[in-house]
Amino acid sequence: MRRQTRTMPRAAGAALIGVLALTPALALAGCAGGTTSTPTPSGTPESLAQLCDDPLVADCATQGRESVAVTIIGSATDEETLALAGRVRDAAAAESLPGEAILQREPVEVPQLDAEITPPPAWTLQVYPADAAEIEQTLTDVLEVAGTPGTTGISIVDGWPTVTIIDMAEFEWTFTSIKDLDLFADGGTYTLQSVDERLRIVHVPARTADAAIHEVVRIAQEYPHAEVVLEAEPRPDASPTLYVSGLEPDEVEQISDRLTDPALADVAPEGALSFVLGTTGEDGVTYTGGTFGGVPID
Protein backbone atom coordinates (compact mmCIF):
# COMPACT_ATOMS: atom_id res chain seq x y z
CA MET A 1 0.00 0.00 0.00
CA ARG A 2 1.34 3.43 -0.91
CA ARG A 3 2.04 5.90 1.85
CA GLN A 4 1.44 9.50 0.95
CA THR A 5 4.25 12.00 1.14
CA ARG A 6 3.63 14.12 4.23
CA THR A 7 4.67 17.51 5.46
CA MET A 8 7.12 17.32 8.34
CA PRO A 9 6.09 19.07 11.59
CA ARG A 10 8.37 21.88 12.65
CA ALA A 11 9.48 20.07 15.80
CA ALA A 12 10.46 16.99 13.80
CA GLY A 13 12.41 19.08 11.34
CA ALA A 14 14.52 20.55 14.17
CA ALA A 15 15.27 17.08 15.45
CA LEU A 16 16.59 16.09 12.02
CA ILE A 17 19.43 18.62 12.15
CA GLY A 18 18.40 21.74 10.35
CA VAL A 19 15.40 22.98 8.42
CA LEU A 20 13.95 20.36 6.09
CA ALA A 21 12.34 22.12 3.14
CA LEU A 22 11.70 21.22 -0.53
CA THR A 23 10.40 23.14 -3.57
CA PRO A 24 6.80 22.37 -4.51
CA ALA A 25 7.98 21.49 -8.02
CA LEU A 26 9.44 18.28 -6.68
CA ALA A 27 5.98 17.05 -5.67
CA LEU A 28 7.37 13.97 -3.97
CA ALA A 29 5.24 10.92 -4.46
CA GLY A 30 4.23 8.59 -1.63
CA CYS A 31 6.35 5.65 -0.57
CA ALA A 32 5.47 2.21 -1.84
CA GLY A 33 6.39 -1.23 -0.61
CA GLY A 34 6.56 -4.79 -1.88
CA THR A 35 7.60 -4.19 -5.51
CA THR A 36 10.60 -2.82 -7.30
CA SER A 37 10.24 0.77 -8.50
CA THR A 38 10.30 1.46 -12.22
CA PRO A 39 13.84 2.17 -13.40
CA THR A 40 14.61 5.50 -14.95
CA PRO A 41 15.40 5.62 -18.68
CA SER A 42 19.05 5.08 -19.47
CA GLY A 43 21.04 8.24 -18.84
CA THR A 44 18.18 9.96 -17.00
CA PRO A 45 19.02 10.88 -13.37
CA GLU A 46 16.67 9.43 -10.78
CA SER A 47 14.39 12.06 -9.32
CA LEU A 48 13.52 12.39 -5.66
CA ALA A 49 9.91 11.63 -6.53
CA GLN A 50 10.94 8.37 -8.17
CA LEU A 51 13.22 7.50 -5.28
CA CYS A 52 10.38 7.96 -2.81
CA ASP A 53 8.45 5.22 -4.63
CA ASP A 54 11.18 2.69 -3.83
CA PRO A 55 10.04 -0.18 -1.57
CA LEU A 56 13.01 0.52 0.70
CA VAL A 57 11.56 3.95 1.50
CA ALA A 58 9.08 4.12 4.38
CA ASP A 59 8.46 7.86 4.15
CA CYS A 60 9.56 11.08 2.49
CA ALA A 61 9.03 14.21 4.57
CA THR A 62 9.37 17.79 3.46
CA GLN A 63 8.95 21.22 4.93
CA GLY A 64 8.82 24.41 2.99
CA ARG A 65 10.79 24.69 -0.21
CA GLU A 66 14.33 23.49 0.22
CA SER A 67 15.07 20.10 1.83
CA VAL A 68 13.90 16.51 2.27
CA ALA A 69 14.19 13.69 4.80
CA VAL A 70 13.98 10.13 3.50
CA THR A 71 13.19 7.34 5.98
CA ILE A 72 14.46 3.88 5.11
CA ILE A 73 12.65 0.79 6.38
CA GLY A 74 14.06 -0.86 9.47
CA SER A 75 14.60 -4.21 7.73
CA ALA A 76 16.94 -2.80 5.07
CA THR A 77 20.37 -4.42 4.94
CA ASP A 78 23.54 -2.41 5.34
CA GLU A 79 24.27 -2.82 1.63
CA GLU A 80 20.81 -1.55 0.69
CA THR A 81 21.18 1.34 3.10
CA LEU A 82 24.55 2.42 1.70
CA ALA A 83 23.20 2.21 -1.84
CA LEU A 84 20.10 4.25 -0.99
CA ALA A 85 22.24 6.93 0.69
CA GLY A 86 24.16 7.38 -2.56
CA ARG A 87 20.94 7.53 -4.57
CA VAL A 88 19.44 10.18 -2.29
CA ARG A 89 22.58 12.26 -2.61
CA ASP A 90 22.68 11.89 -6.40
CA ALA A 91 19.00 12.73 -6.80
CA ALA A 92 19.34 15.82 -4.60
CA ALA A 93 22.41 16.91 -6.56
CA ALA A 94 20.69 16.34 -9.91
CA GLU A 95 17.81 18.58 -8.83
CA SER A 96 20.17 21.16 -7.27
CA LEU A 97 18.32 20.92 -3.99
CA PRO A 98 18.83 24.27 -2.21
CA GLY A 99 18.96 22.79 1.27
CA GLU A 100 19.72 19.40 2.83
CA ALA A 101 18.84 15.78 2.11
CA ILE A 102 18.62 13.62 5.23
CA LEU A 103 18.54 9.84 5.35
CA GLN A 104 17.23 8.20 8.52
CA ARG A 105 16.09 4.77 9.63
CA GLU A 106 12.71 3.95 11.09
CA PRO A 107 12.61 4.07 14.92
CA VAL A 108 13.57 0.89 16.73
CA GLU A 109 10.89 -0.76 18.84
CA VAL A 110 11.38 0.44 22.41
CA PRO A 111 9.05 0.85 25.40
CA GLN A 112 7.11 4.11 25.08
CA LEU A 113 7.87 6.35 28.06
CA ASP A 114 5.31 8.93 26.99
CA ALA A 115 2.60 8.37 24.39
CA GLU A 116 2.92 11.99 23.27
CA ILE A 117 6.64 11.71 22.52
CA THR A 118 7.52 10.37 19.08
CA PRO A 119 10.41 7.88 19.18
CA PRO A 120 13.51 9.21 17.43
CA PRO A 121 14.81 7.61 14.24
CA ALA A 122 17.26 4.78 14.85
CA TRP A 123 19.82 7.07 13.21
CA THR A 124 19.94 10.24 11.15
CA LEU A 125 22.57 11.34 8.63
CA GLN A 126 22.86 14.28 6.26
CA VAL A 127 23.76 12.87 2.84
CA TYR A 128 23.50 16.06 0.80
CA PRO A 129 25.40 18.29 0.45
CA ALA A 130 28.28 15.94 1.26
CA ASP A 131 31.14 14.09 -0.37
CA ALA A 132 30.13 10.65 -1.67
CA ALA A 133 33.13 8.81 -0.18
CA GLU A 134 32.69 10.58 3.14
CA ILE A 135 29.00 9.62 3.25
CA GLU A 136 29.82 5.97 2.67
CA GLN A 137 32.45 5.88 5.42
CA THR A 138 30.38 7.83 7.95
CA LEU A 139 27.26 5.78 7.29
CA THR A 140 29.29 2.58 7.64
CA ASP A 141 30.42 3.84 11.06
CA VAL A 142 26.85 4.78 12.01
CA LEU A 143 25.57 1.33 11.04
CA GLU A 144 28.28 -0.25 13.17
CA VAL A 145 27.01 1.65 16.21
CA ALA A 146 23.39 0.94 15.32
CA GLY A 147 24.23 -2.76 15.35
CA THR A 148 24.89 -2.53 19.08
CA PRO A 149 21.78 -3.66 21.03
CA GLY A 150 20.09 -1.01 23.13
CA THR A 151 20.95 1.99 20.96
CA THR A 152 18.81 4.48 19.06
CA GLY A 153 18.78 8.16 18.07
CA ILE A 154 22.29 8.12 16.57
CA SER A 155 23.22 11.40 14.90
CA ILE A 156 26.19 13.63 14.12
CA VAL A 157 26.18 17.40 14.59
CA ASP A 158 29.24 19.41 13.56
CA GLY A 159 31.29 16.23 13.57
CA TRP A 160 30.27 15.22 17.11
CA PRO A 161 28.32 11.95 17.47
CA THR A 162 25.46 11.33 19.87
CA VAL A 163 23.57 8.18 20.82
CA THR A 164 20.60 7.40 23.03
CA ILE A 165 20.88 4.34 25.26
CA ILE A 166 17.55 2.70 25.92
CA ASP A 167 18.08 0.86 29.23
CA MET A 168 19.75 2.22 32.37
CA ALA A 169 20.65 -1.31 33.48
CA GLU A 170 22.62 -1.80 30.26
CA PHE A 171 24.15 1.68 30.12
CA GLU A 172 27.67 0.67 31.18
CA TRP A 173 27.75 -2.32 28.83
CA THR A 174 26.46 -0.28 25.91
CA PHE A 175 28.95 2.52 26.55
CA THR A 176 31.81 0.01 26.72
CA SER A 177 30.64 -1.59 23.47
CA ILE A 178 30.48 1.71 21.58
CA LYS A 179 33.27 3.90 22.90
CA ASP A 180 36.08 2.36 20.84
CA LEU A 181 34.15 2.13 17.57
CA ASP A 182 35.36 4.50 14.87
CA LEU A 183 32.42 6.91 15.18
CA PHE A 184 32.94 7.47 18.93
CA ALA A 185 36.70 6.91 19.22
CA ASP A 186 37.40 10.64 19.69
CA GLY A 187 34.43 11.21 21.98
CA GLY A 188 30.67 11.49 21.88
CA THR A 189 27.51 12.11 23.88
CA TYR A 190 25.57 9.26 25.50
CA THR A 191 22.06 9.99 26.76
CA LEU A 192 19.70 7.71 28.65
CA GLN A 193 16.24 7.50 27.11
CA SER A 194 13.94 9.15 29.63
CA VAL A 195 11.09 11.65 29.82
CA ASP A 196 13.13 13.97 32.04
CA GLU A 197 16.88 14.17 31.72
CA ARG A 198 18.24 11.46 34.01
CA LEU A 199 21.69 10.73 32.68
CA ARG A 200 23.78 12.36 29.98
CA ILE A 201 27.49 11.87 29.48
CA VAL A 202 29.71 13.90 27.19
CA HIS A 203 32.63 11.52 26.89
CA VAL A 204 36.00 13.10 26.14
CA PRO A 205 38.47 10.16 26.11
CA ALA A 206 41.55 12.36 26.32
CA ARG A 207 40.28 13.94 29.56
CA THR A 208 38.16 11.20 31.17
CA ALA A 209 39.20 7.64 31.96
CA ASP A 210 36.63 4.87 31.68
CA ALA A 211 36.64 4.44 35.47
CA ALA A 212 35.12 7.91 35.82
CA ILE A 213 32.35 7.10 33.35
CA HIS A 214 31.49 3.90 35.20
CA GLU A 215 31.36 5.78 38.50
CA VAL A 216 29.04 8.41 37.02
CA VAL A 217 26.68 5.75 35.66
CA ARG A 218 26.57 3.94 38.99
CA ILE A 219 25.70 7.15 40.82
CA ALA A 220 22.80 7.67 38.40
CA GLN A 221 21.66 4.11 39.02
CA GLU A 222 21.88 4.36 42.79
CA TYR A 223 20.19 7.80 43.02
CA PRO A 224 17.33 7.46 40.50
CA HIS A 225 15.70 10.73 41.58
CA ALA A 226 18.80 12.76 40.70
CA GLU A 227 19.76 14.38 37.42
CA VAL A 228 23.28 13.31 36.49
CA VAL A 229 25.17 15.10 33.72
CA LEU A 230 28.83 14.87 32.80
CA GLU A 231 28.98 18.10 30.83
CA ALA A 232 31.55 19.41 28.37
CA GLU A 233 31.72 21.21 25.08
CA PRO A 234 31.38 18.69 22.22
CA ARG A 235 35.01 18.61 21.17
CA PRO A 236 37.93 16.20 21.76
CA ASP A 237 39.94 18.62 23.94
CA ALA A 238 37.13 19.81 26.24
CA SER A 239 37.33 19.54 30.04
CA PRO A 240 34.23 17.83 31.52
CA THR A 241 32.53 18.61 34.82
CA LEU A 242 30.08 16.32 36.61
CA TYR A 243 26.83 17.91 37.79
CA VAL A 244 24.44 16.00 40.07
CA SER A 245 21.27 17.81 41.14
CA GLY A 246 18.12 16.98 43.07
CA LEU A 247 19.97 15.47 46.02
CA GLU A 248 19.17 15.42 49.71
CA PRO A 249 21.79 16.97 52.06
CA ASP A 250 22.95 13.59 53.34
CA GLU A 251 23.24 12.33 49.77
CA VAL A 252 25.52 15.23 48.90
CA GLU A 253 27.85 14.14 51.70
CA GLN A 254 27.72 10.52 50.59
CA ILE A 255 28.54 11.27 46.96
CA SER A 256 31.19 13.86 47.83
CA ASP A 257 32.99 11.34 50.04
CA ARG A 258 32.70 8.77 47.30
CA LEU A 259 34.05 10.96 44.51
CA THR A 260 36.95 12.37 46.51
CA ASP A 261 38.22 8.89 47.35
CA PRO A 262 41.95 8.79 46.43
CA ALA A 263 41.22 5.64 44.40
CA LEU A 264 39.70 7.94 41.77
CA ALA A 265 42.71 10.24 41.56
CA ASP A 266 43.75 8.87 38.16
CA VAL A 267 40.41 9.21 36.32
CA ALA A 268 41.46 12.45 34.62
CA PRO A 269 44.55 11.81 32.45
CA GLU A 270 45.14 15.55 32.15
CA GLY A 271 44.54 17.70 35.22
CA ALA A 272 41.54 17.22 37.51
CA LEU A 273 37.94 16.15 36.91
CA SER A 274 35.59 18.46 38.82
CA PHE A 275 32.13 17.78 40.22
CA VAL A 276 29.27 19.97 41.50
CA LEU A 277 26.52 18.53 43.70
CA GLY A 278 23.26 20.39 44.23
CA THR A 279 20.59 20.15 46.93
CA THR A 280 17.52 22.27 47.59
CA GLY A 281 16.63 23.21 51.16
CA GLU A 282 14.94 25.94 53.16
CA ASP A 283 17.63 28.41 52.17
CA GLY A 284 17.41 27.58 48.47
CA VAL A 285 19.86 25.64 46.35
CA THR A 286 23.20 24.74 47.90
CA TYR A 287 26.14 23.58 45.81
CA THR A 288 29.10 21.48 46.93
CA GLY A 289 32.12 21.15 44.70
CA GLY A 290 35.27 19.09 44.52
CA THR A 291 37.38 16.92 42.27
CA PHE A 292 37.52 13.20 41.62
CA GLY A 293 40.11 11.69 43.94
CA GLY A 294 40.56 15.05 45.67
CA VAL A 295 43.13 16.05 43.05
CA PRO A 296 44.19 19.71 43.43
CA ILE A 297 43.13 22.04 40.62
CA ASP A 298 46.12 23.74 39.01
Short mmCIF file of all heavy atoms in Angstrom, two decimals, residues 78-112:
data_model
loop_
_atom_site.label_atom_id
_atom_site.label_comp_id
_atom_site.label_asym_id
_atom_site.label_seq_id
_atom_site.Cartn_x
_atom_site.Cartn_y
_atom_site.Cartn_z
N ASP A 78 22.53 -3.46 5.40
CA ASP A 78 23.54 -2.41 5.34
C ASP A 78 23.87 -2.06 3.90
O ASP A 78 24.06 -0.88 3.56
CB ASP A 78 24.82 -2.85 6.08
CG ASP A 78 24.65 -2.88 7.58
OD1 ASP A 78 23.55 -2.51 8.07
OD2 ASP A 78 25.61 -3.28 8.28
N GLU A 79 23.96 -3.07 3.04
CA GLU A 79 24.27 -2.82 1.63
C GLU A 79 23.18 -1.98 0.97
O GLU A 79 23.47 -1.04 0.21
CB GLU A 79 24.45 -4.15 0.89
CG GLU A 79 25.69 -4.94 1.29
CD GLU A 79 25.55 -5.64 2.64
OE1 GLU A 79 24.40 -5.73 3.16
OE2 GLU A 79 26.57 -6.06 3.19
N GLU A 80 21.93 -2.31 1.25
CA GLU A 80 20.81 -1.55 0.69
C GLU A 80 20.82 -0.11 1.22
O GLU A 80 20.52 0.83 0.49
CB GLU A 80 19.49 -2.23 1.02
CG GLU A 80 19.28 -3.54 0.29
CD GLU A 80 18.07 -4.31 0.80
OE1 GLU A 80 17.72 -4.16 1.99
OE2 GLU A 80 17.49 -5.07 0.01
N THR A 81 21.16 0.02 2.48
CA THR A 81 21.18 1.34 3.10
C THR A 81 22.26 2.22 2.47
O THR A 81 22.03 3.39 2.15
CB THR A 81 21.42 1.22 4.62
OG1 THR A 81 20.39 0.41 5.19
CG2 THR A 81 21.42 2.57 5.29
N LEU A 82 23.46 1.67 2.31
CA LEU A 82 24.55 2.42 1.70
C LEU A 82 24.20 2.82 0.27
O LEU A 82 24.48 3.95 -0.17
CB LEU A 82 25.83 1.59 1.72
CG LEU A 82 26.47 1.41 3.10
CD1 LEU A 82 27.48 0.27 3.07
CD2 LEU A 82 27.14 2.70 3.56
N ALA A 83 23.57 1.91 -0.46
CA ALA A 83 23.20 2.21 -1.84
C ALA A 83 22.14 3.31 -1.90
O ALA A 83 22.21 4.22 -2.72
CB ALA A 83 22.69 0.95 -2.53
N LEU A 84 21.15 3.24 -0.99
CA LEU A 84 20.10 4.25 -0.99
C LEU A 84 20.66 5.62 -0.61
O LEU A 84 20.24 6.65 -1.16
CB LEU A 84 18.98 3.87 -0.02
CG LEU A 84 17.77 4.81 -0.02
CD1 LEU A 84 17.09 4.81 -1.38
CD2 LEU A 84 16.78 4.42 1.07
N ALA A 85 21.62 5.66 0.30
CA ALA A 85 22.24 6.93 0.69
C ALA A 85 22.87 7.60 -0.53
O ALA A 85 22.71 8.81 -0.75
CB ALA A 85 23.29 6.71 1.77
N GLY A 86 23.56 6.82 -1.35
CA GLY A 86 24.16 7.38 -2.56
C GLY A 86 23.11 7.86 -3.55
O GLY A 86 23.28 8.91 -4.19
N ARG A 87 22.02 7.14 -3.65
CA ARG A 87 20.94 7.53 -4.57
C ARG A 87 20.26 8.83 -4.11
O ARG A 87 19.93 9.68 -4.94
CB ARG A 87 19.93 6.40 -4.69
CG ARG A 87 20.44 5.19 -5.44
CD ARG A 87 19.49 4.02 -5.27
NE ARG A 87 18.14 4.36 -5.70
CZ ARG A 87 17.06 3.67 -5.34
NH1 ARG A 87 17.16 2.63 -4.52
NH2 ARG A 87 15.86 4.05 -5.77
N VAL A 88 20.05 8.95 -2.80
CA VAL A 88 19.44 10.18 -2.29
C VAL A 88 20.35 11.37 -2.58
O VAL A 88 19.90 12.42 -3.04
CB VAL A 88 19.16 10.07 -0.77
CG1 VAL A 88 18.70 11.42 -0.22
CG2 VAL A 88 18.12 9.00 -0.49
N ARG A 89 21.63 11.19 -2.34
CA ARG A 89 22.58 12.26 -2.61
C ARG A 89 22.58 12.63 -4.09
O ARG A 89 22.54 13.80 -4.45
CB ARG A 89 23.99 11.83 -2.19
CG ARG A 89 25.06 12.87 -2.53
CD ARG A 89 26.46 12.32 -2.32
NE ARG A 89 27.45 13.32 -2.72
CZ ARG A 89 27.85 13.52 -3.96
NH1 ARG A 89 27.34 12.79 -4.95
NH2 ARG A 89 28.76 14.44 -4.23
N ASP A 90 22.63 11.62 -4.96
CA ASP A 90 22.68 11.89 -6.40
C ASP A 90 21.41 12.57 -6.89
O ASP A 90 21.47 13.48 -7.73
CB ASP A 90 22.91 10.58 -7.16
CG ASP A 90 24.30 9.99 -6.92
OD1 ASP A 90 25.17 10.73 -6.39
OD2 ASP A 90 24.51 8.81 -7.25
N ALA A 91 20.27 12.12 -6.38
CA ALA A 91 19.00 12.73 -6.80
C ALA A 91 18.92 14.18 -6.34
O ALA A 91 18.48 15.06 -7.10
CB ALA A 91 17.83 11.92 -6.24
N ALA A 92 19.36 14.44 -5.11
CA ALA A 92 19.34 15.82 -4.60
C ALA A 92 20.29 16.69 -5.41
O ALA A 92 19.97 17.85 -5.74
CB ALA A 92 19.73 15.83 -3.13
N ALA A 93 21.45 16.14 -5.76
CA ALA A 93 22.41 16.91 -6.56
C ALA A 93 21.88 17.18 -7.96
O ALA A 93 22.04 18.28 -8.50
CB ALA A 93 23.74 16.15 -6.62
N ALA A 94 21.23 16.18 -8.55
CA ALA A 94 20.69 16.34 -9.91
C ALA A 94 19.62 17.41 -9.96
O ALA A 94 19.46 18.10 -10.98
CB ALA A 94 20.14 15.01 -10.40
N GLU A 95 18.88 17.57 -8.87
CA GLU A 95 17.81 18.58 -8.83
C GLU A 95 18.29 19.88 -8.18
O GLU A 95 17.49 20.78 -7.95
CB GLU A 95 16.62 18.02 -8.07
CG GLU A 95 16.02 16.79 -8.76
CD GLU A 95 14.75 16.30 -8.10
OE1 GLU A 95 14.20 17.01 -7.25
OE2 GLU A 95 14.30 15.20 -8.46
N SER A 96 19.59 19.95 -7.90
CA SER A 96 20.17 21.16 -7.27
C SER A 96 19.35 21.59 -6.07
O SER A 96 18.95 22.76 -5.93
CB SER A 96 20.25 22.30 -8.31
OG SER A 96 21.08 21.94 -9.39
N LEU A 97 19.11 20.65 -5.19
CA LEU A 97 18.32 20.92 -3.99
C LEU A 97 18.97 22.07 -3.20
O LEU A 97 20.14 22.00 -2.87
CB LEU A 97 18.26 19.66 -3.13
CG LEU A 97 17.18 19.59 -2.07
CD1 LEU A 97 15.80 19.49 -2.70
CD2 LEU A 97 17.42 18.38 -1.16
N PRO A 98 18.23 23.12 -2.90
CA PRO A 98 18.83 24.27 -2.21
C PRO A 98 19.30 23.97 -0.79
O PRO A 98 20.22 24.60 -0.29
CB PRO A 98 17.71 25.32 -2.21
CG PRO A 98 16.74 24.87 -3.25
CD PRO A 98 16.82 23.38 -3.26
N GLY A 99 18.64 23.05 -0.13
CA GLY A 99 18.96 22.79 1.27
C GLY A 99 19.63 21.45 1.48
O GLY A 99 20.57 21.08 0.79
N GLU A 100 19.10 20.65 2.43
CA GLU A 100 19.72 19.40 2.83
C GLU A 100 18.86 18.20 2.42
O GLU A 100 17.64 18.31 2.31
CB GLU A 100 19.91 19.35 4.35
CG GLU A 100 20.79 20.44 4.90
CD GLU A 100 20.80 20.44 6.42
OE1 GLU A 100 19.86 19.88 7.03
OE2 GLU A 100 21.75 21.00 6.98
N ALA A 101 19.52 17.07 2.23
CA ALA A 101 18.84 15.78 2.11
C ALA A 101 19.31 14.92 3.28
O ALA A 101 20.51 14.74 3.49
CB ALA A 101 19.15 15.11 0.79
N ILE A 102 18.34 14.43 4.05
CA ILE A 102 18.62 13.62 5.23
C ILE A 102 18.14 12.20 4.98
O ILE A 102 17.05 11.98 4.44
CB ILE A 102 17.88 14.19 6.46
CG1 ILE A 102 18.28 15.64 6.73
CG2 ILE A 102 18.10 13.32 7.69
CD1 ILE A 102 19.71 15.82 7.15
N LEU A 103 18.97 11.24 5.36
CA LEU A 103 18.54 9.84 5.35
C LEU A 103 18.47 9.38 6.80
O LEU A 103 19.38 9.66 7.59
CB LEU A 103 19.52 8.97 4.57
CG LEU A 103 19.14 7.48 4.47
CD1 LEU A 103 17.85 7.30 3.68
CD2 LEU A 103 20.27 6.67 3.84
N GLN A 104 17.39 8.70 7.15
CA GLN A 104 17.23 8.20 8.52
C GLN A 104 16.55 6.86 8.48
O GLN A 104 15.90 6.50 7.49
CB GLN A 104 16.42 9.18 9.35
CG GLN A 104 15.01 9.41 8.81
CD GLN A 104 14.27 10.51 9.54
OE1 GLN A 104 14.87 11.35 10.19
NE2 GLN A 104 12.96 10.51 9.43
N ARG A 105 16.73 6.08 9.55
CA ARG A 105 16.09 4.77 9.63
C ARG A 105 14.90 4.83 10.57
O ARG A 105 14.89 5.59 11.53
CB ARG A 105 17.09 3.72 10.12
CG ARG A 105 16.47 2.33 10.35
CD ARG A 105 17.49 1.23 10.40
NE ARG A 105 18.02 0.97 9.07
CZ ARG A 105 18.85 -0.04 8.78
NH1 ARG A 105 19.25 -0.85 9.74
NH2 ARG A 105 19.30 -0.22 7.56
N GLU A 106 13.90 4.02 10.25
CA GLU A 106 12.71 3.95 11.09
C GLU A 106 13.10 3.73 12.56
O GLU A 106 14.10 3.08 12.85
CB GLU A 106 11.81 2.79 10.65
CG GLU A 106 11.07 3.01 9.37
CD GLU A 106 10.15 1.84 9.04
OE1 GLU A 106 10.61 0.69 9.11
OE2 GLU A 106 8.97 2.07 8.73
N PRO A 107 12.30 4.26 13.49
CA PRO A 107 12.61 4.07 14.92
C PRO A 107 12.65 2.59 15.29
O PRO A 107 11.92 1.77 14.72
CB PRO A 107 11.46 4.77 15.63
CG PRO A 107 10.94 5.77 14.63
CD PRO A 107 11.12 5.11 13.29
N VAL A 108 13.54 2.25 16.21
CA VAL A 108 13.57 0.89 16.73
C VAL A 108 12.41 0.73 17.71
O VAL A 108 11.90 1.70 18.26
CB VAL A 108 14.91 0.58 17.44
CG1 VAL A 108 16.06 0.70 16.47
CG2 VAL A 108 15.12 1.52 18.62
N GLU A 109 11.99 -0.50 17.92
CA GLU A 109 10.89 -0.76 18.84
C GLU A 109 11.41 -0.72 20.27
O GLU A 109 12.22 -1.55 20.68
CB GLU A 109 10.26 -2.12 18.54
CG GLU A 109 9.55 -2.17 17.19
CD GLU A 109 8.81 -3.48 16.98
OE1 GLU A 109 8.76 -4.28 17.95
OE2 GLU A 109 8.28 -3.69 15.89
N VAL A 110 10.97 0.28 21.01
CA VAL A 110 11.38 0.44 22.41
C VAL A 110 10.14 0.75 23.24
O VAL A 110 9.12 1.21 22.71
CB VAL A 110 12.40 1.59 22.57
CG1 VAL A 110 13.67 1.29 21.80
CG2 VAL A 110 11.80 2.92 22.11
N PRO A 111 10.18 0.49 24.54
CA PRO A 111 9.05 0.85 25.40
C PRO A 111 8.77 2.35 25.33
O PRO A 111 9.69 3.17 25.40
CB PRO A 111 9.54 0.45 26.80
CG PRO A 111 10.59 -0.58 26.56
CD PRO A 111 11.27 -0.18 25.29
N GLN A 112 7.50 2.71 25.16
CA GLN A 112 7.11 4.11 25.08
C GLN A 112 7.02 4.70 26.49
O GLN A 112 6.23 4.25 27.32
CB GLN A 112 5.75 4.26 24.40
CG GLN A 112 5.82 4.13 22.88
CD GLN A 112 6.58 5.28 22.26
OE1 GLN A 112 7.77 5.16 21.99
NE2 GLN A 112 5.93 6.39 22.05
#
